[in-house]
Amino acid sequence: MPVYDQHYHPWAGKPRPRWHRWLVITRYHLSLLFTGKGRNILILILVSAGFIHFCFLAYVYVMANRQILEQYAIPVERLPGINARFFLTEIIAQTLTVAILTLIMGAGLIADDRRDNAIPLYLSKPLTVTEYLLGKLGVLALPILGITAVPTLLVFVLHWLGGGGKEFILTYWRLPFAIVALSVLIALFCGALMLMASSLVKKGAIAGVVVVGLFIGHNVLAGVLNGIFDSRKFMIISLQFDFYRLGLWLFGLEHVQEAQEFPFSGLAAAGVILAATALCWAILWRQVRPVEVVK
Amino acid sequence: MTPPVALYDVSKWYGEVLGINGITVQLTPGVTGLLGPNGAGKSTLLKVTAGLLWPSRGRVEIFGANPWREVEVYRRIGFCHDGDGFYDALTGADFLCASLRMHGYARQRARALAYEALELVGLADEARKRIGAYSKGMRQRLKLAHAVAHNPDVILLDEPLAGMDPVGRRHTLDLVARWGAEGKTVAISSHILHEIDALTSNIMMISHGRLLAEGDVHEVRGLLREHPHQIYLECAEPRALASRLIAVEQVRQVSLDSTRRGILIETFDPDAVYDRLTQVVIEDGVSIDLMTSPDDNVQAVFAYLTRGRSDDSG
């Protein structure tokens, strides 16, 4: 019998802060997505998103240089101004791009790990289930913020510096916070919904179908209930309307007629969105386990 | 001193299906072979030990910490799971590098450790190849590298030899033996008993989710009193030797294997028979060509331990 050395070899590395580690999952997944087969589609989507922002930026430029419009006899006073609604519209205009990006990038995020039984690879590291999910959420949230909050804030700053001046920033000082808040909520909800769907199945394509089905289904449900009860109050079920209503509230547009026509407040819309996100997160928590138990 | 790995009355049920039942065991530095047929509960035991499965009852401690709750202890655990989940688009080096970064290593250090681990398992030349192009044996070796790249103190290997060619198996067994000799606590599961027999005499035998025996295989054999020990001899005159040995009080039975010039002796007191045999050899000048104990090994012990159970179930 050999006599074993009884002392333990201590771990020699210098660990990075805990919060930092889940970013490794995000970073490697993003690099995989942008080097894989779908790279060209992703680039196309990002270019489309960039083009939309470019149009808004061009509008800002033109409004700051009104003589260009006057040259072509365009009545400047009849054109919409650059105000809170302008920036809300800039974010809302990205809704379709966000949806497509979420479906393409997120469908396989957990489904593929479940199919390949790869979850133990993560959870046999000093990572919790929450950190694993945060890492996956980051894969969706960062690009979503990259096509909503970041360019919209850039347009805001350029307008402020280019022509808006002190008066603009004093009037709309809360807009940057509103832009970030709305974008973060969109990213959190879309990410949680997609990850939830991805955690329910083992094929990314089916997860995509589930999300599209949920999106269409809950809107149809809202419409049917509105029809049956001859009321508009069931609009609150529709997350599409909730986000718009929330946007009007966050951007200080409570006074506009559109906001008045909604049968629920911005706060109620925020509550529904947060509840839906929490529900997705709860299902995720239940679904993601280090070891797949087949009964 | 806190044992590196300790399980106290650990059970795991999958609904109504029993995974493991009432297992209390401590793993000490060195190699421990976890043996049992397919479906015995070896993987479940390793996953519960690694904190990947929550035990239905009992508790697991690794260096005194509960691995399910205290994930920091994973820095000291290397787990080679039985699945085959990888990211085929990544290269072997990138995969290990990402894994090490999740352990908290900085990029450059992670890369250096990844290459060290790949070198260790003989995959250095394939480091920059995509995992999708790896053979089954190479994937197994990559899993092994993944388990040990961060220099853990506890290494849990779930069927690491499956799918490897003979050279790969030999290399892996050498590595496991080395880690054990270095003072790491290594648990290796296999249903191929002779592989473990060649690696370590320290075993845990598991069947139907229950721990049948643990410890040194020879000591375990000694405890199986209902099964007489077997001693096999080969010599030039087997009949003459057999006639002398049958007279020995401690010998229960002697049978001749005439085709191979062999004698099979059964006894409940092998030490006494060995002593008497020495006398016979000296007194009669008998030349013994071969002497073995055919049932003092892992396979035989496992067969004895499970025979009654198989008969019961059958």
Side-chain angles (χ1 to χ4, degrees), chain A residues 4 6 8-9 11 13-16 18 21 24 27-28 113 116-117 121-127 290 293, chain B residues 1-2 4 14 29 52 71-72 74-76 81 85 87 98-99 101-105 146 150 153 180 182:
Chain A
Y4 297 115
Q6 292 291 311
Y8 303 125
H9 299 274
W11 186 72
K14 287 181 184 168
R16 297 207 150 192
R18 182 99 181 258
R21 281 179 233 156
V24 177
R27 200 174 73 80
Y28 273 89
D113 283 351
D116 297 334
N117 194 18
L121 292 178
Y122 295 97
L123 299 182
S124 56
K125 308 275 179 304
L127 287 172
V293 177
Chain B
M1 189 180 187
T2 311
Y14 302 106
L52 295 174
V71 292
E72 289 301 307
Y74 277 113
R75 284 196 191 138
R76 303 183 72 177
H81 74 121
Y87 291 97
S99 162
R101 295 206 66 204
M102 284 182 224
H103 275 286
Y105 284 99
H146 170 254
H150 57 291
D153 297 311
E182 283 172 3

Side-chain angles (χ1 to χ4, degrees), chain B residues 220 228 246:
Chain B
V220 173
I246 198 71

Side-chain angles (χ1 to χ4, degrees), chain A residues 86-210:
Chain A
F86 174 85
F87 292 102
L88 175 61
T89 308
E90 188 174 352
I91 291 183
I92 296 295
Q94 294 293 351
T95 312
L96 183 64
T97 324
V98 166
I100 295 171
L101 198 69
T102 304
L103 285 171
I104 290 177
M105 293 183 78
L109 276 179
I110 295 179
D112 291 351
D113 283 351
R114 289 194 64 209
R115 183 195 62 206
D116 297 334
N117 194 18
I119 295 178
L121 292 178
Y122 295 97
L123 299 182
S124 56
K125 308 275 179 304
L127 287 172
T128 60
V129 172
T130 308
E131 286 166 325
Y132 166 78
L133 292 175
L134 276 176
K136 298 283 182 176
L137 183 67
V139 180
L140 289 172
L142 291 182
I144 291 174
L145 291 175
I147 62 169
T148 53
V150 175
T152 310
L153 282 173
L154 190 67
V155 172
F156 179 88
V157 170
L158 287 175
H159 176 63
W160 170 30
L161 299 176
K166 193 177 170 186
E167 192 187 341
F168 172 76
I169 196 68
L170 286 175
T171 310
Y172 296 113
W173 61 269
R174 61 185 278 182
L175 281 189
F177 301 103
I179 291 167
V180 171
L182 185 61
S183 303
V184 166
L185 280 171
I186 290 172
L188 281 180
F189 173 73
C190 290
L193 178 69
M194 190 68 251
L195 289 182
M196 184 268 289
S198 187
S199 74
L200 293 173
V201 294
K202 290 188 178 181
K203 277 191 178 174
I206 297 175
V209 172
V210 169

Side-chain angles (χ1 to χ4, degrees), chain B residues 268-287:
Chain B
F268 286 107
D269 190 353
D271 292 339
V273 173
Y274 284 125
D275 285 347
R276 193 76 185 91
L277 192 61
T278 309
Q279 286 178 4
V280 170
V281 167
I282 293 167
E283 288 166 8
D284 295 8
V286 177
S287 169

